[in-house]
Amino acid sequence: MIYHLSLHTAGIIAGVFLVLLGLIGFSEPDFVSIVKRFPRSYVAGVSLLTICLVWTFWLLATVQMGEFSAFRRPLLIALPIGYALALRFVDEFLAVRALGILCLLAAEPLLDAAFLRYETSRLLITGFAYVLIVAGMFWVAIPYVLRDQINWSAKSVFRWRCLHAVAFIYGSVILAFAFTQY
């Protein structure tokens, strides 16, 4: 285990994240304009990519690599170089790509916390983690997909609020199980 995160803590983190996302999106109709500007936001891209750099650097520095430990130093050197090159040459949808990387990084602690647990309700967290993985892979490889997803979900106020209501309910269910079963 890398993170030593309990299922209870992972459930609280995932549940609070989804509840807050649902509340903000449901109660603030002006939030749509902020979300529509996100894919091309350079500041958001640099911020998210910096978080990803620090998280990945920490993982590379601390994780046991076994027979691949000879690659640790070259990877620790290549990581900041790749970060600088991405900032320099990837200006299109940098925020979306960085968000995709962050989703991929965030899914692992959730899956790690649910590993070898017998509660059926753990599948709520596992399902959320796999949604993060699939979304992250698409957003890194095909970043304009997030822009299209935002435009589709913001096409009507009803659709926008329904999606955020689903996120709020899903997060509430995860929180309920986190406090009662994990």
Side-chain angles (χ1 to χ4, degrees):
M1 293 181 68
I2 298 170
Y3 296 99
H4 305 288
L5 195 65
S6 69
L7 189 60
H8 174 74
T9 307
I12 290 173
I13 291 169
V16 166
F17 172 75
L18 286 169
V19 164
L20 288 176
L21 183 71
L23 278 176
I24 291 171
F26 191 77
S27 63
E28 291 291 328
D30 297 334
F31 189 61
V32 175
S33 63
I34 296 169
V35 172
K36 282 186 174 185
R37 289 193 310 263
F38 172 77
R40 296 206 183 260
S41 172
Y42 186 75
V43 173
V46 171
S47 302
L48 289 175
L49 197 61
T50 304
I51 291 169
C52 293
L53 170 73
V54 170
W55 192 342
T56 307
F57 197 86
W58 172 76
L59 277 176
L60 275 173
T62 59
V63 73
Q64 294 181 4
M65 298 177 74
E67 62 189 47
F68 298 106
S69 56
F71 294 114
R72 184 184 311 269
R73 179 162 290 152
L75 287 173
L76 287 173
I77 293 169
L79 192 63
I81 293 170
Y83 170 79
L85 290 173
L87 289 180
R88 173 70 175 102
F89 296 110
V90 183
D91 55 344
E92 285 293 314
F93 294 112
L94 180 65
V96 179
R97 293 176 199 271
L99 180 64
I101 296 168
L102 191 61
C103 286
L104 292 170
L105 286 169
E108 202 279 328
L110 298 177
L111 290 174
D112 198 24
F115 186 64
L116 294 179
R117 292 296 299 254
Y118 298 109
E119 301 93 345
T120 307
S121 57
R122 79 183 186 290
L123 297 175
L124 292 168
I125 294 175
T126 305
F128 177 59
Y130 281 115
V131 166
L132 287 176
I133 290 168
V134 171
M137 286 190 302
F138 272 100
W139 295 342
V140 169
I142 317 167
Y144 62 85
V145 167
L146 179 63
R147 181 199 60 204
D148 296 343
Q149 290 168 341
I150 292 170
N151 288 337
W152 178 85
S153 62
K155 197 164 189 111
S156 71
V157 175
F158 176 75
R159 188 181 296 173
W160 180 259
R161 288 194 171 173
C162 280
L163 288 171
H164 284 88
V166 167
F168 177 80
I169 292 168
Y170 193 73
S172 299
V173 170
I174 290 176
L175 275 176
F177 280 116
F179 286 117
T180 60
Q181 289 194 0
Y182 305 147

